[in-house]
């Protein structure tokens, strides 16, 4: 059974009308970059809880989470109302296996995310441990509109931190932007636009792909890679090329 502790909001950042981040202080146990916690509020006498990935590095005690306001959702609209000094409940122990220790050795690591699911990748890259195993890392963030690239400044800081290793790619699906690819992630793999932008091949021999985001993107991208690139789903008992985590 989960052990809940009280977290206090240090800062609330509003990126757009529907995207926001909370930075909180809470007495949690150490976690691994890429893991998630459960957050909860008491609403009408009921504890309403959801799982959210840590955005911050484990070495940073300012715990950060990234949210989208779900219309008519039970929890996210209430979380969006929290301000500095407000409290919420947090599980003190993190969960999840979407971490670098679970990734087999490879030459090229592809981190493909949509929306708020960029969180675990930012945590992994900010922590910076274990990255020496990979020659190149591609960080992709796919959103609907350019304004939704909330963490682009942080992504650019990370690219400067790893200038020879990290390649940033942004994808905007509902408007044309000069510095971003346009379309859906599976289509950009199929027409090789993603590989062209990254400057490396997405192949079974050298690559491992971490997929994090909406279930449709995860499913369609995984199926395409299995069908057209001779890749397989990564399992502990049977190493493969594709690790995934769905965000709802």
């Amino acid at each position: 059974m989960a052990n809940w502790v009280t977290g206090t909001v240090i800062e609330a950042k509003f990126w757009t009308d529907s995207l926001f981040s909370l930075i909180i202080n809470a007495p949690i146990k150490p976690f691994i970059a890429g893991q998630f916690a459960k957050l909860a509020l008491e609403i009408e006498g009921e504890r309403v809880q959801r799982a959210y990935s840590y955005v911050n590095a484990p070495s940073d005690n300012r715990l950060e989470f990234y949210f989208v306001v779900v219309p008519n959702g039970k929890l996210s609209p209430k979380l969006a109302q929290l301000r500095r000094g407000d409290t919420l409940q947090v599980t003190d122990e993190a969960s999840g296996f979407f971490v670098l220790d679970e990734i087999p050795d490879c030459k090229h690591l592809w981190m493909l995310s949509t929306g708020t699911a960029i969180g675990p990748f930012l945590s992994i890259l900010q922590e910076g441990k274990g990255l020496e195993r990979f020659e190149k890392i591609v960080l992709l963030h796919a959103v609907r509109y350019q304004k939704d690239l909330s963490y682009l400044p942080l992504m650019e800081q990370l690219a400067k931190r790893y200038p020879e290793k990290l390649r940033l790619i942004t994808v905007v699906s509902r408007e044309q932007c000069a510095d971003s690819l346009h379309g859906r992630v599976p289509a950009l793999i199929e027409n090789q636009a993603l590989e062209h932008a990254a400057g490396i091949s997405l192949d079974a021999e050298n690559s491992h792909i971490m997929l994090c985001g909406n279930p449709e993107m995860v499913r369609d991208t995984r199926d395409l890679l299995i069908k057209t690139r001779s890749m397989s789903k990564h399992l502990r008992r049977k190493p493969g090329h594709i690790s995934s985590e769905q965000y709802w």
Side-chain angles (χ1 to χ4, degrees), residues 2-248:
N3 183 40
W4 295 89
V5 296
T6 299
T8 302
V9 176
I10 300 171
E11 183 181 357
K13 300 179 183 178
F14 288 85
W15 309 104
T16 68
D17 290 342
S18 60
L19 291 170
F20 68 101
S21 298
L22 293 178
I23 299 176
I24 70 172
N25 181 43
I28 65 165
K29 297 177 182 178
F31 70 94
I32 302 171
Q35 290 190 306
F36 63 87
K38 289 183 179 179
L39 307 183
L41 290 172
E42 291 290 332
I43 301 174
E44 297 179 354
E46 175 191 0
R47 176 186 282 153
V48 180
Q49 58 182 289
R50 299 288 185 271
Y52 297 100
S53 292
Y54 288 100
V55 176
N56 60 292
S59 55
D60 185 354
N61 60 11
R62 289 166 53 91
L63 310 180
E64 185 163 359
F65 300 92
Y66 186 32
F67 310 88
V68 60
V69 178
V70 178
N72 302 315
K74 282 189 174 183
L75 184 59
S76 60
K78 298 294 185 182
L79 291 172
Q81 296 173 11
L82 297 179
R83 297 297 182 268
R84 180 181 175 88
D86 290 336
T87 60
L88 69 166
Q89 298 299 298
V90 187
T91 49
D92 71 340
E93 192 166 357
S95 303
F97 300 100
F98 200 65
V99 299
L100 287 190
D101 286 349
E102 297 290 331
I103 303 302
D105 288 338
C106 63
K107 190 174 180 181
H108 303 147
L109 180 63
W110 299 74
M111 298 176 165
L112 310 184
S113 66
T114 58
T116 56
I118 193 173
F121 295 142
L122 295 176
S123 180
I124 290 169
L125 291 169
Q126 287 184 95
E127 185 69 359
K129 295 181 178 178
L131 302 184
E132 65 280 352
R133 289 201 289 136
F134 313 106
E135 183 178 304
K136 299 291 183 182
I137 299 173
V138 178
L139 174 61
L140 178 146
H141 190 200
V143 297
R144 294 180 178 182
Y145 300 99
Q146 187 176 30
K147 66 180 181 179
D148 300 332
L149 295 169
S150 309
Y151 284 93
L152 184 57
L154 175 56
M155 293 168 64
E156 292 171 340
Q157 289 177 22
L158 290 166
K160 291 179 180 178
R161 180 175 168 184
Y162 309 109
E164 303 300 321
K165 185 183 294 287
L166 182 60
R167 178 74 171 94
L168 303 182
I169 297 176
T170 56
V171 178
V172 178
S173 64
R174 297 196 178 180
E175 60 183 2
Q176 295 282 351
C177 301
D179 297 324
S180 299
L181 298 179
H182 178 73
R184 296 186 65 242
V185 173
L188 295 171
I189 293 174
E190 193 166 22
N191 64 21
Q192 299 186 350
L194 176 57
E195 290 164 281
H196 183 266
I200 56 176
S201 296
L202 182 56
D203 55 57
E205 182 179 357
N206 298 302
S207 305
H208 191 93
I209 296 87
M210 299 178 75
L211 298 171
C212 194
N214 73 70
E216 185 178 1
M217 184 281 287
V218 170
R219 182 192 66 238
D220 291 351
T221 302
R222 182 184 61 231
D223 291 349
L224 177 68
L225 292 171
I226 291 172
K227 181 179 180 180
T228 66
R229 304 297 175 99
S230 301
M231 294 186 177
S232 60
K233 187 176 179 181
H234 177 64
L235 303 171
R236 278 184 162 181
R237 66 180 182 275
K238 187 178 180 182
H241 312 89
I242 307 165
S243 300
S244 62
E245 183 149 282
Q246 297 181 176
Y247 243 49
W248 60 81

